[in-house]
Amino acid sequence: MLDALRKIVQEVNTADDFHAVLDIIVARVKSVVNTGVCSVYLYDADNDSYVLSATNGLLQESVGKVYMSTEQGLVGLVAHRAEPLNLEDAEAHPRFTYFPETGEEKFKSFLGAPIIHHRDVLGVLVVQQQQRRKFDESEEAFLVTVSAQLAGVIAHAEATGELRRTISQHIYDNGDERCYVGLPSAQGIGIGTVLLVSTPADLNAVPRRLATDIPHELEQLHDALESTKDDLRGVRESLNDKLNSEELALFDVYISMLEDTSLGGEVVTLIEGGLCAQSAWSQVIIAHIRTFSQMDNPYLSERAADVRDLGRRVLGHLQQLQHEEPVYPENTILIGEELAAPHLTDVPFENIRAMISVKGSHNSHVAILGRAMGIPTIMGAVDIPWTELDGVSLIVDGYQGQIICSPTPQRLQVYKDLYQEEQSQAKDLESLKDLPCETIDKHRISLWVNTGLRLDTMLSLNRGAEGVGLYRTEIPFFLLDRFPSEEEQRKMYREQLEMFAPLPVTMRTLDIGGDKALPYFPIKEENPFLGWRGIRVTLDHPEIFLVQLRAMMRASVGLDNLSILLPMISNTMELDSAMVLIRRVYNELTLEEGYQFKFPAIGAMIEVPAAVYQIREFARRVDYLSVGTNDLTQYLLAVDRNNSQVAELYHTFHPSLLKALRMIADDAKAAGCPVSVCGELAGDPIGAALLVGMGYKTLSMSSANLLKVKAVIRQLKLSELNAIVDHACDLDDTFAVRDYLESSLERPELSQLLHPAGAQARQSNS
Ligand code: PEP
Ligand code: MG
């Protein structure tokens, strides 16, 4: 059965549309279970019922006509109880309802399995048979397994609107407007035109574009095929004495596949029909991969890999031939399968309005950069048909994580108004730039910024930051194709230190690993967030660590505003080892090489649970502590910060996190060690108020949030915040904490800051 299941999944994954998916499911399940009927009922929210959506065995005319609520029929019962129902004699069951239009009277026994995604019952998969016999255990288990697989596909169809179209046979009432959802990762409204970022030679990431010059596209296809054949001949030649004749013959097979008129012919037809060469080539190759992988013969099904490889090679040549510097629309909305920092740096800042990434989550690197630069960002938009959106007009609602394609004029106007409101609020906040960040009862809080790119550094300077609490040194490392030399690093660091001098700049040593892989230093691990990350990598590679420390310290000569921060510290030995190397570098530079500068302040990040319980021990070894709430939340709650599947469990106000944060503040105070927070919680106005109430006096955040946080803190009293925190720490769950904090901080003058434009947008969408 596993084999049957694998084949069904394969077919489903490559089906042309959702109708085809349902038809495949009902046909294949019916045949595997060897029964009379297989049907799928899907939830229709408009009617709050499950509607017969596909069948193989019942009368086709009944599709779309048979409805059952959770109160009705056996299908309704399966949905209501969210568990399988296996009946030898369906008619004898009190919930049996007869639907004459289906022609089901001859089918006696019934087996139904709910289709559940993230706890929602999306539908019911049913098999029926004429013989009066209970389906056996393996058949029941098979149906449950197929339902579980189907759930993801249905959830996708639901998100893309295809499910709604399947059920109600009409598109949204709003013309062509489509709405997709993702994870809101940087607040704000972005209105603009999509520019698609695709990975080179990725067949699934080719934007669907039309040809502007068909003969030219045909010519380029021909050239790309010829170049690929030349490459293959070259490789064959070079391996002549290393491979035997059968192995070498493989290259001839490859070459002849490229000469095959049927493959080329299909592509040519598509191009002549108006598609550009890259789109046509990838479409045909994907179809061939699908055909091969579905073949029963293992030798033939493995040929799918060869076709994919050839497809990529030709696509690579086509992309080289057709490479044009991207033209960034004035209002660019960047979309990619997995956006990363370098994509962002390519776009002129004044053009970029929003970012959407299919993969990733709120705390992925690019999302953090989006927040730092005030670019509305949506991550984990897994259902968006991103390759089809190049050049499409979009609204990105970074408050609610909504992406609205081809908006209606009314919707566009609502969002334009919200955008204007946002702009005027930002202007109003500018007046706070030079005012101190202090509570009403005159307690001073220092607001620092997190930086990484040159651009966010520039933005920070305009917002009245009092220092840099976290300079992520790995970000400039991402933009290169090798490790920067000591001198290159020194220049980068010098620029950062000079821009802020005499204000302090906290430079974190290289924090790679986890979701931050350098292209030239790949780390492949099963569990990257629990693996070789941060200080673990740099201690294992002193040649990288020492160069970085030397560059930082040399950069600080004459400025003396450097402090160094060590990431991912989980035990005192790591701190001790790092301190040995730091002292060694300092001694070499000052005693042996004659540089003169102050020994930098050294800090440890508190971002793994083990560190929370060793504050006193760490405090004896370093000058300050800095809490990384992004990772601390991830590790404390065991929720991958980058995984959109579990993003809903990433609770930034989880009571355990509150207890940990409070404990850190109290223990650091008792040890006489300064402690700040540089995770994203510090940049959330409500989170910042909570942290201040706990006793944190320095908060470091994306510069885009700095003035908002200042505005909120200036309206609050520390004594009140202390009491609010006391109560919040006694609450049971994250939502209770958030609700309580929101309601107790509520003041008319803060309303806009605590409930930004998104709340209003939500109303307009409903
Ligand atoms: C953190 O973990 O909170 C942090 C500030 O570091 P990063 O987000 O770079 O891991
Ligand atoms: Mg971290």
Side-chain angles (χ1 to χ4, degrees), residues 185-259:
S185 302
Q187 293 192 340
I189 306 290
I191 301 173
T193 308
V194 170
L195 186 116
L196 203 135
V197 172
S198 55
T199 325
D202 180 350
L203 291 161
N204 294 310
V206 176
R208 200 181 150 77
R209 288 196 184 123
L210 298 180
T212 45
D213 179 350
I214 291 177
H216 183 65
E217 295 288 322
L218 289 170
E219 196 184 308
Q220 299 217 302
L221 172 70
H222 173 266
D223 292 351
L225 289 170
E226 287 308 312
S227 305
T228 312
K229 283 189 253 172
D230 286 347
D231 291 348
L232 291 168
R233 285 188 198 106
V235 181
R236 187 189 196 287
E237 198 58 40
S238 67
L239 295 175
N240 223 349
D241 51 349
K242 298 188 186 72
L243 300 181
N244 65 32
S245 56
E246 280 134 43
E247 288 161 340
L248 285 172
L250 257 181
F251 288 93
D252 298 329
V253 174
Y254 272 24
I255 293 167
S256 64
M257 279 166 87
L258 292 179
E259 278 164 354

Side-chain angles (χ1 to χ4, degrees), residues 279-450:
S279 307
W281 176 256
S282 60
Q283 189 169 317
V284 169
I285 290 296
I286 288 170
H288 278 261
I289 294 170
R290 184 191 306 169
T291 311
F292 273 104
S293 56
Q294 283 168 1
M295 288 181 177
D296 282 330
N297 179 319
Y299 175 78
L300 288 176
S301 68
E302 275 163 27
R303 297 287 68 78
D306 298 338
V307 178
R308 181 177 296 109
D309 179 53
L310 270 187
R312 282 201 194 123
R313 286 170 187 264
V314 176
L315 179 63
H317 276 294
L318 269 175
Q319 287 174 331
Q320 258 174 28
L321 285 170
Q322 303 190 321
H323 178 73
E324 288 166 9
E325 282 309 317
V327 180
Y328 294 103
E330 203 183 316
N331 298 321
T332 298
I333 296 192
L334 219 52
I335 292 194
E337 190 179 22
E338 192 155 20
L339 283 186
H343 298 132
L344 181 54
T345 50
D346 287 345
V347 194
F349 181 64
E350 57 283 6
N351 287 28
I352 186 156
R353 294 289 171 274
M355 295 191 289
I356 302 168
S357 180
V358 176
K359 292 188 179 159
S361 182
H362 181 80
N363 280 300
S364 305
H365 224 143
V366 74
I368 290 176
L369 288 177
R371 289 196 285 281
M373 295 164 72
I375 303 169
T377 302
I378 295 182
M379 304 294 292
V382 288
D383 295 312
I384 196 164
W386 65 286
T387 53
E388 291 168 24
L389 294 181
D390 201 41
V392 168
S393 303
L394 280 191
I395 297 172
V396 170
D397 178 343
Y399 297 100
Q400 302 181 76
Q402 289 200 344
I403 301 148
I404 301 155
C405 303
S406 312
T408 58
Q410 298 89 313
R411 177 98 59 217
L412 192 60
Q413 195 51 51
V414 169
Y415 275 99
K416 280 186 175 166
D417 293 347
L418 285 173
Y419 178 76
Q420 286 310 330
E421 222 173 275
E422 249 186 17
Q423 300 299 309
S424 71
Q425 191 197 54
K427 268 231 121 18
D428 293 348
L429 286 173
E430 274 174 26
S431 60
L432 295 178
K433 185 174 150 276
D434 298 319
L435 296 180
C437 179
E438 59 186 14
T439 56
I440 294 179
D441 45 355
K442 299 285 172 219
H443 290 275
R444 188 77 169 74
I445 306 296
S446 298
L447 298 189
W448 294 19
V449 276
N450 297 346

Side-chain angles (χ1 to χ4, degrees), residues 363-365 368 371 450 469-470 472 474-475 508 511 515-516 529 533 565 567-568 605-608 626-635 641 650 677-681 700:
N363 280 300
S364 305
H365 224 143
I368 290 176
R371 289 196 285 281
N450 297 346
L470 173 64
R472 290 182 166 96
E474 57 280 2
I475 295 181
R508 182 172 69 183
D511 184 19
D515 68 332
K516 297 184 264 189
F529 277 117
R533 246 202 101 175
L565 181 58
M568 270 296 284
M605 285 204 72
I606 305 297
E607 51 183 349
V608 301
S626 180
V627 187
T629 50
N630 307 339
D631 277 314
L632 187 56
T633 310
Q634 142 165 283
Y635 292 123
R641 64 191 266 186
Y650 190 91
V677 178
C678 65
E680 295 296 304
L681 189 68
S700 189

Side-chain angles (χ1 to χ4, degrees), residues 35 87 135 191 247 286 348 460 518 602 611 710:
T35 188
L87 300 172
F135 286 91
I191 301 173
E247 288 161 340
I286 288 170
S460 317
L518 295 174
I602 308 295
K710 191 190 273 191

